[in-house]
Amino acid sequence: MRTLVLWDVDHTLLSIGDLSGQIYAEVFEDVTGRPMQQLADMTGRTDRAIITATLRLHGIEPTEDLVVRFATALGRAFDARRADLAARGKELPGARAALAALTRQPVIQSLLTGNMEPIARCKLAAFCLGEFVDFSVGAYGLDDAERPPLVRLARKRAEAKYEQPFDEYSTVLIGDTPLDVTAGHEGGARVVAVATGASDSDELRSAGAEIVLADLTDTGAVVRAVLRATQR
């Protein structure tokens, strides 16, 4: 029996600084014909939720058609800026080694991210990290506005592909925010939190993460944390 490991992307595996906000602003103006005055809080949220909230901040009704058009344009914009992602962003210390080490364990690695799938693929490709994950069993920022249902969806996709059940003892979410911790617990996963984003270790422990790491630089500690998190 294998363990399903679901990685968050931003501030867990990599960071692209303020580039996301710039791309959102460009797409907002292209789609609505108006300059973006305010971007909704992005921390730990899905692209669907960010798009919807940003439109509402500008008094625009987020119809499904408009959200889809915005998302499609957003995906294209990120793809067009792939060189900028690599030049202005960075792979976080230890991320590649941790991903590579886990491929030698009885685990399936995928993503549980607020990014819509094309953007997640684009970001990992910019840093040559995509080879380590099975994108087909992940869950992404257009699948739902909230994160907990994404965990259940990823488990369902993995069960269908790999023909084994994945419950809370065989699913591990790795992320950097209290919202990741909540998503894991409500969606049926153990959580390994890393203090590589805006939340420190104390905040992540208070949120209820089973294991908290300062970062991913100790590859052995990452592997042990994943394996220990699934122990009953």
Side-chain angles (χ1 to χ4, degrees):
M1 298 290 286
R2 287 178 284 186
T3 296
L4 177 62
V5 177
L6 299 170
W7 288 91
D8 175 50
V9 174
D10 294 295
H11 307 295
T12 298
L13 292 173
L14 56 87
S15 174
I16 62 168
D18 61 359
L19 188 55
S20 286
Q22 293 177 20
I23 295 174
Y24 257 93
E26 293 168 4
V27 171
F28 183 93
E29 187 162 4
D30 287 343
V31 172
T32 69
R34 296 166 48 180
M36 188 179 77
Q37 301 296 325
Q38 183 179 357
L39 178 62
D41 181 21
M42 302 178 75
T43 306
R45 304 181 75 186
T46 67
D47 277 326
R48 179 176 285 278
I50 295 164
I51 292 169
T52 298
T54 299
L55 290 168
R56 285 185 171 142
L57 285 171
H58 294 78
I60 300 172
E61 179 64 25
T63 64
E64 181 63 16
D65 176 69
L66 181 56
V67 170
V68 170
R69 285 196 291 115
F70 196 120
T72 300
L74 195 64
R76 290 173 180 160
F78 267 89
D79 189 57
R81 300 287 290 275
R82 190 173 296 195
D84 286 341
L85 296 180
R88 295 173 55 181
K90 61 181 179 180
E91 168 195 326
L92 293 187
R96 180 181 305 277
L99 287 162
L102 284 169
T103 64
R104 297 187 288 274
Q105 300 295 324
V107 306
I108 298 155
Q109 297 187 89
S110 192
L111 303 179
L112 194 295
T113 174
N115 292 289
M116 47 190 277
E117 184 176 352
I119 294 176
R121 286 179 176 270
C122 190
K123 287 180 178 179
L124 265 66
F127 301 98
C128 301
L129 298 176
E131 65 183 286
F132 300 108
V133 303
D134 181 350
F135 289 98
S136 70
V137 299
Y140 304 93
L142 280 188
D143 289 324
D144 201 285
E146 303 299 328
R147 280 183 179 253
L150 298 185
V151 181
R152 292 188 287 271
L153 178 58
R155 287 170 48 190
K156 183 177 179 180
R157 287 172 172 167
E159 288 172 356
K161 180 170 183 176
Y162 291 99
E163 299 182 332
Q164 75 162 75
F166 291 99
D167 60 15
E168 64 180 300
Y169 297 104
S170 55
T171 307
V172 177
L173 187 154
I174 305 177
D176 67 282
T177 74
L179 289 176
D180 291 317
V181 179
T182 299
H185 291 164
E186 292 185 3
R190 298 301 182 93
V191 180
V192 175
V194 288
T196 46
S199 300
D200 62 25
S201 296
D202 289 340
E203 290 177 275
L204 296 169
R205 287 192 188 92
S206 295
E210 277 74 25
I211 298 172
V212 178
L213 302 174
D215 52 38
L216 299 173
T217 56
D218 186 336
T219 305
V222 176
V223 174
R224 289 191 297 273
V226 168
L227 298 180
R228 183 155 55 93
T230 59
Q231 293 176 357
R232 294 177 185 267

